[in-house]
Amino acid sequence: MCALSDGISLNDVIHQGPKLQRELFSVLLRFCKNPVALVCDIAEMYFRISLAPEDRPFHRFLWRSLDQTRTPDVYEFNRVVFGVNSSPFQAQFVTQEHAQKHKEEFPMAAETILKSTYMDNSMDSTSDDQKGIELYKQLSELWGRAGMHERKWLSNSRKVLEDIPVDDRASETESEIQSSSNPNQWRYVPTNEIPADFVTRGLTVPELAEKNSWWEGPSYLKEKPSEWPINKLTTVRASDTEVRKSNKCQLDPSDGRDRMMVTIEGDGESRLEPKRFSSWLRLTRIQARIYRFLKNCLLPNGRRTRGELTVEEIQDAEIRIIKAAQRLFKEECSALSSGKPLPMSSKLLTLKPRLDEDGVVRSDGRLENAEYLPYDVKYPIILPRKEWVTKLIVRWYHQQGNHPSGTHQTLAMLSSRFWLMQRREEIRECKGECYECRRRKAKAAQQVMAPLPKIRLKMPPRAFSRTAVDFGGPFMMIQGRGKRRAKRYLCLFTCLTSRALHLEIAYGLDTDSFLNAFCRMASRRGLPEEMISDNGNNFVGADLELRELIEKLDKDKIASSTANRGISGKFAPESVDETDFNLRKRWRRIQELIHHFWNRWMREWLPKLNARKKWFKHGKDLKVGDIVLVISPDTPRGQWPLGRIAETIPGKDGQMRVAKVRIGQKIFERPISKLCPLECKTDD
């Protein structure tokens, strides 16, 4: 299509048009969203769209009826043609325009055409059979009004198919071939041996006549079957799969039907293995969908859950995944389940782990009395080091911080729910593996410093023969008493060879002010042979007014004036402007920082106190009558007095940490960290 005429084809001059077609990924998501699926194909979509009469002469073609000796006839296409750049746009534009026009009358069909149509195929899903039938009727009517013929209807619902005429349904030829033949009889055909491809590749009639495979079939058919190409397709029938266990059971007491539970033994790792996923969100949502499916299999149709996932379903999937990851704490979980103390070699000893009602290992830290903290902060879930689930969770929180967040901020977000072993190292590993972070932190390429430019190395007869110029300011100045303040600008000239400086005052940023400053400099230093400026737009420290005014500099006038005196001028490339600073926002910024400080204190510093750095084992409580040595920091150890416990003061958790001690005739209240037990009573 679109052959060349005088070196130009139709596609060279016609506009392709914007892309109106939906992404295939979003179409498939809608197709998989609901249980009842519906698919149809539009027959010859391009040929059902007419071309305007004035456009048809541009779609001409020649026809000789395979006779190369006769003069070809000239025809014009009156329909949209496959191969023209704009054909996909025209097809999508026509269908979407009709959908917008009739969306009030056919809302379901209009939404399907606008959101669930890919090329010439509409594929959508509905929540039940009745809506599927309604969608079929609306689509048929709407496609008909657009002049299209829908065909090859497919659906997984028998009720929906019953409302579709048999002639409009998809062909069942493929299923008939599979049911009446053995897949092992199918043979592989190399690409260059497929006769049907010769026509689709656009071979001419003489080239097609020379192809023996077109007339006789693939050449290997003349050989013995043992010498035919090796079949690259492997087929496995469902009956060949090993069934390891089969039990008949009644799963729902309210349902009188019996079901068969079959466990199929597969090869390789599970499809739900966390290592097969790179996103914590995707892993949890997929597992939540699977757990819903398994739950729905045990329920009758009327009690099954449908629609979007709920928060409870996602949280349940997360708990299951985390419990599986905590299997690395095998000894700790076994000890906690049996009520035994943790081994002294356990790395969880300082966290005082416990099992919650879901069987998840959590840290029972020191923040249990902080009523204003959420449950997950007071009792965070402990995650093992170098576990893939841990990596996915860290990666998720790292991405929630939009990547620039540092280790400290990521750790603060993680501490709202989790406690990681060697957490900083885990976060640093995640940042090191993050491609987006590596990209954002990439540094510019470095190279050895370039030689100085020739203009700075020429031997001048005098200073300022090659000069660079720049502006600075504005500066507020007063000239004389009682005069008002006025803006003045600094015009700086520098010798490119000697680096000598010459300063002049410019009364403005207009062209005349610059020329006056230049003439004063030239009168004292002499006319320069070459000059360099920064294009009048790169003034460090200048405010917005300076940048706006400098753009009005008439470079042509400057070049004309200096050229008359034999000076060549060059303008350096522009640079990035700097932003200005607003002092009026200072107070607001201070208030923001104060608020930010307390938020960070709550999120970042406070959770660090959760772990016990010492004193993490239960000790024996002191009892009334025990003899103790009272520590006195002001006296030597040999002079510490003896005392007897007169009363114990338990804390809110029932543990005794303060006691009243009788020393002689006096009673003192001391913490147990200041008391050394000497003689303790034993229980009877």
Side-chain angles (χ1 to χ4, degrees):
M1 186 58 195
C2 296
L4 296 177
S5 176
D6 296 331
I8 301 177
S9 71
L10 178 61
N11 284 340
D12 294 334
V13 295
I14 194 171
H15 194 279
Q16 186 175 357
K19 180 181 178 182
L20 300 180
Q21 183 169 278
R22 300 282 296 185
E23 294 293 338
L24 180 59
F25 182 75
S26 61
V27 174
L28 292 178
L29 282 181
R30 287 179 54 87
F31 180 69
C32 301
K33 182 179 179 180
N34 297 303
V36 179
L38 189 63
V39 180
C40 71
D41 173 77
I42 306 303
E44 301 175 342
M45 174 181 279
Y46 286 0
F47 289 164
R48 297 184 181 275
I49 302 175
S50 299
L51 288 174
E54 59 269 20
D55 293 334
R56 294 174 185 176
F58 302 103
H59 297 76
R60 291 175 294 178
F61 67 96
L62 305 180
W63 182 254
R64 299 173 184 260
S65 188
L66 301 180
D67 186 0
Q68 299 184 3
T69 61
R70 58 171 288 194
T71 302
D73 298 327
V74 181
Y75 292 89
E76 294 179 353
F77 281 106
N78 58 5
R79 303 287 178 171
V80 172
V81 184
F82 180 83
V84 180
N85 283 345
S86 60
S87 294
F89 163 74
Q90 295 179 59
Q92 295 298 323
F93 179 80
V94 169
T95 57
Q96 293 183 16
E97 279 295 309
H98 279 83
Q100 293 287 355
K101 181 179 179 181
H102 301 286
K103 65 180 180 181
E104 299 294 336
E105 186 177 359
F106 307 109
M108 296 178 63
E111 183 179 3
T112 298
I113 293 177
L114 293 174
K115 298 182 179 180
S116 295
T117 298
Y118 187 78
M119 299 182 69
D120 57 351
N121 294 280
S122 295
M123 51 186 75
D124 207 344
S125 58
T126 60
S127 58
D128 52 47
D129 296 335
Q130 295 301 324
K131 291 184 178 180
I133 296 173
E134 179 64 24
L135 177 60
Y136 158 71
K137 294 179 179 179
Q138 290 191 16
L139 277 175
S140 300
E141 184 66 24
L142 183 52
W143 280 124
R145 295 194 182 185
M148 304 291 179
H149 173 59
E150 76 286 352
R151 60 174 185 174
K152 296 184 179 180
W153 288 91
L154 281 173
S155 178
N156 61 339
S157 171
R158 187 173 297 277
K159 290 184 178 180
V160 175
L161 289 177
E162 290 176 354
D163 279 63
I164 301 176
V166 179
D167 296 338
D168 292 339
R169 300 179 191 174
S171 174
E172 300 181 356
T173 305
E174 181 180 352
S175 60
E176 294 176 359
I177 294 176
Q178 293 180 353
S179 61
S180 60
S181 65
N182 189 341
N184 293 326
Q185 297 175 335
W186 306 344
R187 302 305 296 258
Y188 167 73
V189 181
T191 303
N192 56 355
E193 292 282 350
I194 301 177
D197 287 350
F198 297 155
V199 178
T200 59
R201 292 173 185 170
L203 296 181
T204 62
V205 175
E207 291 175 341
L208 189 62
E210 296 177 359
K211 290 287 186 181
N212 294 330
S213 300
W214 173 257
W215 307 103
E216 302 176 1
S219 58
Y220 64 82
L221 293 178
K222 300 178 181 179
E223 308 294 337
K224 297 180 180 179
S226 59
E227 298 180 2
W228 288 5
I230 300 176
N231 192 1
K232 296 184 179 181
L233 301 176
T234 57
T235 57
V236 180
R237 289 183 176 272
S239 58
D240 298 334
T241 306
E242 179 183 359
V243 179
R244 181 164 54 90
K245 188 176 182 180
S246 176
N247 295 323
K248 178 180 287 188
C249 58
Q250 185 170 325
L251 301 177
D252 188 2
S254 62
D255 189 358
R257 297 173 296 174
D258 290 339
R259 300 180 177 89
M260 187 73 66
M261 180 180 295
V262 180
T263 303
I264 301 178
E265 184 176 322
D267 298 329
E269 64 181 10
S270 171
R271 294 285 182 179
L272 298 180
E273 177 66 29
K275 289 185 177 180
R276 301 177 66 95
F277 295 83
S278 59
S279 169
W280 172 247
L281 180 64
R282 183 176 178 83
L283 173 62
T284 54
R285 291 187 67 86
I286 288 180
Q287 293 216 16
R289 287 282 183 185
I290 293 176
Y291 294 137
R292 172 190 281 188
F293 170 77
L294 296 176
K295 182 180 179 180
N296 286 340
C297 290
L298 306 178
L299 300 174
N301 189 34
R303 296 172 55 188
R304 293 177 180 176
T305 305
R306 294 180 174 86
E308 292 294 333
L309 291 171
T310 62
V311 177
E312 291 75 13
E313 289 177 319
I314 296 177
Q315 291 178 348
D316 179 65
E318 292 178 349
I319 292 299
R320 292 171 182 262
I321 297 171
I322 292 173
K323 285 179 61 178
Q326 288 182 339
R327 292 174 183 172
L328 293 179
F329 303 138
K330 184 177 180 180
E331 296 182 359
E332 289 81 356
C333 292
S334 177
L336 293 174
S337 301
S338 58
K340 298 180 180 179
L342 297 181
M344 294 302 298
S345 60
S346 174
K347 296 181 179 179
L348 306 185
L349 205 58
T350 60
L351 300 176
K352 194 184 177 183
R354 68 177 180 87
L355 295 177
D356 63 5
E357 59 275 7
D358 296 320
V360 177
V361 181
R362 292 180 177 268
S363 172
D364 190 3
R366 302 170 56 198
L367 302 178
E368 60 179 339
N369 294 326
E371 299 179 355
Y372 49 85
L373 290 180
Y375 177 81
D376 287 334
V377 178
K378 295 190 292 185
Y379 308 104
I381 299 173
I382 303 176
L383 295 178
R385 174 87 163 102
K386 294 187 178 298
E387 165 62 33
W388 188 254
V389 172
T390 304
K391 292 182 178 293
L392 293 181
I393 294 175
V394 173
R395 184 182 303 171
W396 166 253
Y397 280 93
H398 172 68
Q399 293 172 351
Q400 293 304 299
N402 294 325
H403 299 279
S405 59
T407 302
H408 201 64
Q409 183 177 352
T410 305
L411 180 58
M413 292 188 292
L414 280 166
S415 300
S416 63
R417 189 179 180 188
F418 302 101
W419 187 276
L420 277 66
M421 308 301 297
Q422 300 178 349
R423 44 192 182 171
R424 292 187 179 273
E425 290 78 4
E426 191 73 49
I427 295 174
R428 292 192 186 100
E429 285 187 8
C430 173
K431 294 177 63 177
E433 297 172 357
C434 179
Y435 171 78
E436 183 66 19
C437 289
R438 295 201 304 267
R439 186 182 66 84
R440 294 187 180 189
K441 296 181 180 179
K443 297 181 180 180
Q446 296 182 354
Q447 187 51 273
V448 63
M449 186 176 293
L452 292 173
K454 291 182 179 181
I455 191 173
R456 294 191 58 186
L457 299 177
K458 295 180 180 179
M459 292 300 294
R462 56 179 172 77
F464 292 95
S465 62
R466 280 165 287 278
T467 305
V469 63
D470 198 1
F471 272 95
F475 301 98
M476 303 306 297
M477 304 179 64
I478 300 178
Q479 295 182 344
R481 292 184 178 181
K483 302 291 184 180
R484 64 183 182 88
R485 298 166 62 91
K487 289 182 180 180
R488 296 294 182 263
Y489 300 89
L490 177 67
C491 187
L492 184 147
F493 299 89
T494 178
C495 176
L496 293 176
T497 303
S498 64
R499 308 307 295 169
L501 297 177
H502 181 91
L503 303 179
E504 291 288 345
I505 294 295
Y507 288 82
L509 290 176
D510 56 290
T511 304
D512 293 333
S513 296
F514 167 72
L515 290 178
N516 291 334
F518 173 76
C519 292
R520 292 194 298 269
M521 184 277 300
S523 299
R524 298 191 59 185
R525 309 298 179 184
L527 286 173
E529 298 177 2
E530 296 180 80
M531 290 194 64
I532 295 178
S533 82
D534 63 352
N535 207 20
N537 203 25
N538 184 22
F539 294 87
V540 178
D543 60 2
L544 180 60
E545 180 182 0
L546 174 62
R547 292 194 296 272
E548 292 177 352
L549 293 176
I550 200 63
E551 291 179 357
K552 301 179 180 179
L553 190 65
D554 191 346
K555 300 181 180 64
D556 295 335
K557 184 175 181 180
I558 296 173
S560 175
S561 176
T562 55
N564 294 333
R565 305 189 182 187
I567 303 173
S568 62
K570 299 179 181 179
F571 291 98
E574 296 184 2
S575 173
V576 180
D577 294 334
E578 291 193 357
T579 58
D580 50 3
F581 181 72
N582 190 349
L583 291 176
R584 299 184 62 182
K585 297 181 180 178
R586 187 65 178 178
W587 181 85
R588 295 180 182 176
R589 178 59 178 166
I590 293 174
Q591 299 301 315
E592 179 183 348
L593 290 176
I594 294 174
H595 181 71
H596 181 64
F597 168 80
W598 286 112
N599 282 342
R600 292 191 63 183
W601 183 84
M602 291 285 292
R603 294 187 296 107
E604 301 176 14
W605 183 81
L606 193 59
K608 291 182 180 179
L609 304 179
N610 205 6
R612 291 177 171 85
K613 303 300 181 182
K614 57 180 181 179
W615 304 332
F616 46 83
K617 295 182 63 177
H618 289 284
K620 188 176 181 180
D621 290 337
L622 295 176
K623 298 179 176 60
V624 176
D626 290 349
I627 304 300
V628 296
L629 189 66
V630 181
I631 298 175
S632 178
D634 299 329
T635 60
R637 185 183 182 90
Q639 299 178 9
W640 290 350
L642 289 176
R644 185 183 296 272
I645 302 296
E647 182 182 356
T648 59
I649 305 176
K652 293 183 178 180
D653 58 350
Q655 301 296 325
M656 196 276 291
R657 297 184 180 87
V658 180
K660 292 184 178 181
V661 185
R662 180 182 297 275
I663 302 177
Q665 299 298 323
K666 298 182 178 180
I667 296 178
F668 301 90
E669 186 174 315
R670 292 289 184 270
I672 61 174
S673 58
K674 300 295 184 180
L675 303 177
C676 300
L678 296 179
E679 295 179 8
C680 300
K681 290 184 178 181
T682 58
D683 296 331
D684 296 333

